[in-house]
Amino acid sequence: VEVQRSDLVAEHVGQTGPKTRKMIEQARGGVLFVDEAYRLVKSADGKDFGPEAIEEIMQDMTTGDPLVIMAGYRDDMRKFLDANAGLARRFPITIDFPNYTTEELAAIFELKLHTAGFRLAPGVTSREVAEALSKHTT
């Protein structure tokens, strides 16, 4: 089950725990994948229920069911793990995936095209695809 902040955090006191619990239960026997997990850390003004979602998830992490994967950008995830004393201990393994180069993305794009039964237009090269990706993406 893939979730993000809006799937876990509610707007009013007392609603985040049950909302998060529902997602945990849906993921039983599988994986709870929390994308952009760092967005659950308390906001600067302190009026935030994200930490409640973190606490709810941490209650189930000792059982291993569901398997919990927290994902996000490297620097943001470091801050996330530092935000709660129990988090770093519960996530002793972190995996940093380097960004793809535009050449690698062009190769993936071509592979997907071929798999779907398509091909680049005549005269269009992988290098041109990589250059277009470099020019039009961040």
Tab-separated table of all heavy atoms in Angstrom, residues 14-44:
chain	number	residue	atom	x	y	z
A	14	GLY	N	-7.452	13.945	17.012
A	14	GLY	CA	-8.063	12.639	17.215
A	14	GLY	C	-8.386	11.871	15.949
A	14	GLY	O	-8.833	10.725	16.021
A	15	GLN	N	-8.176	12.461	14.778
A	15	GLN	CA	-8.520	11.778	13.536
A	15	GLN	C	-7.316	11.137	12.845
A	15	GLN	O	-7.483	10.225	12.040
A	15	GLN	CB	-9.192	12.757	12.567
A	15	GLN	CG	-10.535	13.247	13.038
A	15	GLN	CD	-11.150	14.245	12.072
A	15	GLN	OE1	-10.459	14.881	11.276
A	15	GLN	NE2	-12.464	14.387	12.143
A	16	THR	N	-6.117	11.598	13.149
A	16	THR	CA	-4.932	11.085	12.467
A	16	THR	C	-4.630	9.643	12.849
A	16	THR	O	-4.316	8.824	11.976
A	16	THR	CB	-3.711	11.993	12.733
A	16	THR	OG1	-3.969	13.262	12.121
A	16	THR	CG2	-2.432	11.413	12.180
A	17	GLY	N	-4.709	9.312	14.131
A	17	GLY	CA	-4.432	7.942	14.573
A	17	GLY	C	-5.287	6.920	13.834
A	17	GLY	O	-4.757	5.976	13.233
A	18	PRO	N	-6.610	7.078	13.847
A	18	PRO	CA	-7.472	6.130	13.133
A	18	PRO	C	-7.235	6.110	11.618
A	18	PRO	O	-7.275	5.046	10.993
A	18	PRO	CB	-8.891	6.616	13.448
A	18	PRO	CG	-8.754	7.356	14.745
A	18	PRO	CD	-7.394	7.989	14.688
A	19	LYS	N	-6.963	7.268	11.043
A	19	LYS	CA	-6.717	7.331	9.599
A	19	LYS	C	-5.446	6.565	9.252
A	19	LYS	O	-5.408	5.788	8.289
A	19	LYS	CB	-6.596	8.799	9.165
A	19	LYS	CG	-6.565	9.005	7.684
A	19	LYS	CD	-6.640	10.488	7.329
A	19	LYS	CE	-6.728	10.666	5.825
A	19	LYS	NZ	-6.832	12.078	5.444
A	20	THR	N	-4.404	6.745	10.062
A	20	THR	CA	-3.142	6.029	9.847
A	20	THR	C	-3.325	4.543	10.109
A	20	THR	O	-2.826	3.703	9.350
A	20	THR	CB	-2.036	6.608	10.754
A	20	THR	OG1	-1.879	7.999	10.448
A	20	THR	CG2	-0.721	5.894	10.557
A	21	ARG	N	-4.037	4.198	11.156
A	21	ARG	CA	-4.291	2.792	11.507
A	21	ARG	C	-4.976	2.074	10.351
A	21	ARG	O	-4.659	0.921	10.045
A	21	ARG	CB	-5.140	2.734	12.781
A	21	ARG	CG	-5.633	1.381	13.215
A	21	ARG	CD	-4.596	0.378	13.620
A	21	ARG	NE	-3.509	0.943	14.370
A	21	ARG	CZ	-2.295	0.390	14.439
A	21	ARG	NH1	-2.037	-0.742	13.816
A	21	ARG	NH2	-1.329	0.942	15.128
A	22	LYS	N	-5.912	2.731	9.688
A	22	LYS	CA	-6.621	2.132	8.552
A	22	LYS	C	-5.629	1.759	7.445
A	22	LYS	O	-5.727	0.670	6.865
A	22	LYS	CB	-7.663	3.119	8.021
A	22	LYS	CG	-8.470	2.594	6.861
A	22	LYS	CD	-9.495	3.620	6.412
A	22	LYS	CE	-10.237	3.103	5.191
A	22	LYS	NZ	-11.164	4.104	4.653
A	23	MET	N	-4.672	2.619	7.173
A	23	MET	CA	-3.673	2.330	6.134
A	23	MET	C	-2.751	1.185	6.570
A	23	MET	O	-2.398	0.323	5.753
A	23	MET	CB	-2.829	3.575	5.835
A	23	MET	CG	-3.593	4.718	5.222
A	23	MET	SD	-4.176	4.349	3.550
A	23	MET	CE	-5.908	4.116	3.828
A	24	ILE	N	-2.392	1.155	7.842
A	24	ILE	CA	-1.562	0.065	8.368
A	24	ILE	C	-2.291	-1.263	8.194
A	24	ILE	O	-1.713	-2.251	7.749
A	24	ILE	CB	-1.200	0.313	9.848
A	24	ILE	CG1	-0.272	1.528	9.978
A	24	ILE	CG2	-0.563	-0.927	10.474
A	24	ILE	CD1	-0.102	2.024	11.398
A	25	GLU	N	-3.556	-1.282	8.527
A	25	GLU	CA	-4.344	-2.522	8.420
A	25	GLU	C	-4.475	-2.965	6.962
A	25	GLU	O	-4.430	-4.152	6.664
A	25	GLU	CB	-5.713	-2.348	9.075
A	25	GLU	CG	-5.662	-2.156	10.582
A	25	GLU	CD	-4.901	-3.255	11.317
A	25	GLU	OE1	-4.998	-4.439	10.936
A	25	GLU	OE2	-4.189	-2.928	12.297
A	26	GLN	N	-4.633	-2.019	6.056
A	26	GLN	CA	-4.715	-2.368	4.636
A	26	GLN	C	-3.416	-2.988	4.139
A	26	GLN	O	-3.423	-3.809	3.225
A	26	GLN	CB	-5.034	-1.133	3.794
A	26	GLN	CG	-6.469	-0.702	3.864
A	26	GLN	CD	-6.747	0.506	2.962
A	26	GLN	OE1	-5.957	0.856	2.100
A	26	GLN	NE2	-7.890	1.132	3.185
A	27	ALA	N	-2.305	-2.594	4.760
A	27	ALA	CA	-0.995	-3.086	4.324
A	27	ALA	C	-0.593	-4.398	4.996
A	27	ALA	O	0.429	-4.985	4.641
A	27	ALA	CB	0.072	-2.022	4.592
A	28	ARG	N	-1.367	-4.899	5.942
A	28	ARG	CA	-1.029	-6.145	6.647
A	28	ARG	C	-0.739	-7.256	5.650
A	28	ARG	O	-1.425	-7.418	4.657
A	28	ARG	CB	-2.169	-6.594	7.551
A	28	ARG	CG	-2.345	-5.745	8.744
A	28	ARG	CD	-1.582	-6.314	9.935
A	28	ARG	NE	-1.865	-5.472	11.075
A	28	ARG	CZ	-0.945	-4.855	11.780
A	28	ARG	NH1	0.325	-5.008	11.495
A	28	ARG	NH2	-1.276	-4.089	12.791
A	29	GLY	N	0.332	-8.003	5.932
A	29	GLY	CA	0.730	-9.090	5.057
A	29	GLY	C	1.547	-8.614	3.865
A	29	GLY	O	1.909	-9.404	3.002
A	30	GLY	N	1.832	-7.320	3.839
A	30	GLY	CA	2.574	-6.751	2.716
A	30	GLY	C	3.461	-5.603	3.149
A	30	GLY	O	4.105	-5.664	4.186
A	31	VAL	N	3.419	-4.539	2.359
A	31	VAL	CA	4.309	-3.397	2.555
A	31	VAL	C	3.501	-2.112	2.694
A	31	VAL	O	2.553	-1.881	1.936
A	31	VAL	CB	5.277	-3.253	1.353
A	31	VAL	CG1	6.139	-2.004	1.482
A	31	VAL	CG2	6.147	-4.488	1.213
A	32	LEU	N	3.898	-1.289	3.648
A	32	LEU	CA	3.389	0.071	3.764
A	32	LEU	C	4.512	0.971	3.276
A	32	LEU	O	5.554	1.091	3.913
A	32	LEU	CB	3.014	0.427	5.200
A	32	LEU	CG	2.491	1.851	5.408
A	32	LEU	CD1	1.142	2.035	4.697
A	32	LEU	CD2	2.348	2.165	6.889
A	33	PHE	N	4.336	1.573	2.106
A	33	PHE	CA	5.339	2.424	1.492
A	33	PHE	C	4.904	3.871	1.679
A	33	PHE	O	3.891	4.292	1.124
A	33	PHE	CB	5.469	2.098	0.000
A	33	PHE	CG	6.506	2.912	-0.713
A	33	PHE	CD1	7.819	2.472	-0.792
A	33	PHE	CD2	6.168	4.119	-1.311
A	33	PHE	CE1	8.779	3.220	-1.462
A	33	PHE	CE2	7.117	4.874	-1.982
A	33	PHE	CZ	8.424	4.428	-2.053
A	34	VAL	N	5.657	4.608	2.505
A	34	VAL	CA	5.324	6.004	2.800
A	34	VAL	C	6.215	6.895	1.941
A	34	VAL	O	7.403	7.037	2.206
A	34	VAL	CB	5.497	6.325	4.296
A	34	VAL	CG1	5.056	7.759	4.579
A	34	VAL	CG2	4.723	5.338	5.160
A	35	ASP	N	5.633	7.475	0.904
A	35	ASP	CA	6.388	8.342	0.003
A	35	ASP	C	6.469	9.741	0.607
A	35	ASP	O	5.509	10.226	1.205
A	35	ASP	CB	5.705	8.391	-1.363
A	35	ASP	CG	6.602	8.947	-2.449
A	35	ASP	OD1	7.831	9.038	-2.230
A	35	ASP	OD2	6.086	9.280	-3.521
A	36	GLU	N	7.610	10.381	0.433
A	36	GLU	CA	7.881	11.703	1.000
A	36	GLU	C	7.587	11.716	2.499
A	36	GLU	O	6.925	12.613	3.028
A	36	GLU	CB	7.086	12.789	0.268
A	36	GLU	CG	7.482	12.927	-1.188
A	36	GLU	CD	6.759	14.041	-1.918
A	36	GLU	OE1	5.661	14.457	-1.475
A	36	GLU	OE2	7.287	14.492	-2.934
A	37	ALA	N	8.101	10.704	3.189
A	37	ALA	CA	7.852	10.532	4.619
A	37	ALA	C	8.282	11.734	5.444
A	37	ALA	O	7.683	12.023	6.488
A	37	ALA	CB	8.567	9.273	5.119
A	38	TYR	N	9.276	12.458	5.003
A	38	TYR	CA	9.763	13.626	5.738
A	38	TYR	C	8.674	14.680	5.929
A	38	TYR	O	8.740	15.504	6.828
A	38	TYR	CB	10.974	14.250	5.024
A	38	TYR	CG	10.712	14.606	3.587
A	38	TYR	CD1	10.141	15.828	3.230
A	38	TYR	CD2	11.008	13.702	2.571
A	38	TYR	CE1	9.871	16.134	1.915
A	38	TYR	CE2	10.756	14.009	1.251
A	38	TYR	CZ	10.187	15.225	0.925
A	38	TYR	OH	9.917	15.519	-0.388
A	39	ARG	N	7.631	14.637	5.122
A	39	ARG	CA	6.526	15.597	5.259
A	39	ARG	C	5.678	15.333	6.508
A	39	ARG	O	4.818	16.143	6.854
A	39	ARG	CB	5.655	15.558	4.007
A	39	ARG	CG	6.422	16.071	2.778
A	39	ARG	CD	5.597	16.060	1.505
A	39	ARG	NE	4.446	16.936	1.648
A	39	ARG	CZ	3.232	16.635	1.195
A	39	ARG	NH1	3.012	15.498	0.570
A	39	ARG	NH2	2.240	17.482	1.347
A	40	LEU	N	5.955	14.224	7.199
A	40	LEU	CA	5.225	13.920	8.430
A	40	LEU	C	5.830	14.611	9.660
A	40	LEU	O	5.215	14.620	10.717
A	40	LEU	CB	5.199	12.405	8.671
A	40	LEU	CG	4.429	11.590	7.639
A	40	LEU	CD1	4.627	10.103	7.888
A	40	LEU	CD2	2.955	11.962	7.654
A	41	VAL	N	7.010	15.172	9.507
A	41	VAL	CA	7.662	15.842	10.630
A	41	VAL	C	6.889	17.112	10.971
A	41	VAL	O	6.360	17.786	10.103
A	41	VAL	CB	9.132	16.179	10.283
A	41	VAL	CG1	9.792	16.978	11.377
A	41	VAL	CG2	9.908	14.898	10.037
A	42	LYS	N	6.870	17.429	12.258
A	42	LYS	CA	6.132	18.589	12.758
A	42	LYS	C	6.518	19.867	12.011
A	42	LYS	O	7.684	20.127	11.768
A	42	LYS	CB	6.416	18.768	14.249
A	42	LYS	CG	5.534	19.780	14.912
A	42	LYS	CD	5.875	20.014	16.371
A	42	LYS	CE	6.204	18.753	17.113
A	42	LYS	NZ	6.450	18.973	18.530
A	43	SER	N	5.517	20.661	11.691
A	43	SER	CA	5.761	21.937	11.017
A	43	SER	C	6.346	22.946	11.999
A	43	SER	O	6.307	22.753	13.213
A	43	SER	CB	4.461	22.474	10.423
A	43	SER	OG	3.539	22.751	11.458
A	44	ALA	N	6.877	24.027	11.480
A	44	ALA	CA	7.530	25.049	12.299
A	44	ALA	C	6.577	25.667	13.317
A	44	ALA	O	6.983	26.012	14.422
A	44	ALA	CB	8.117	26.133	11.404
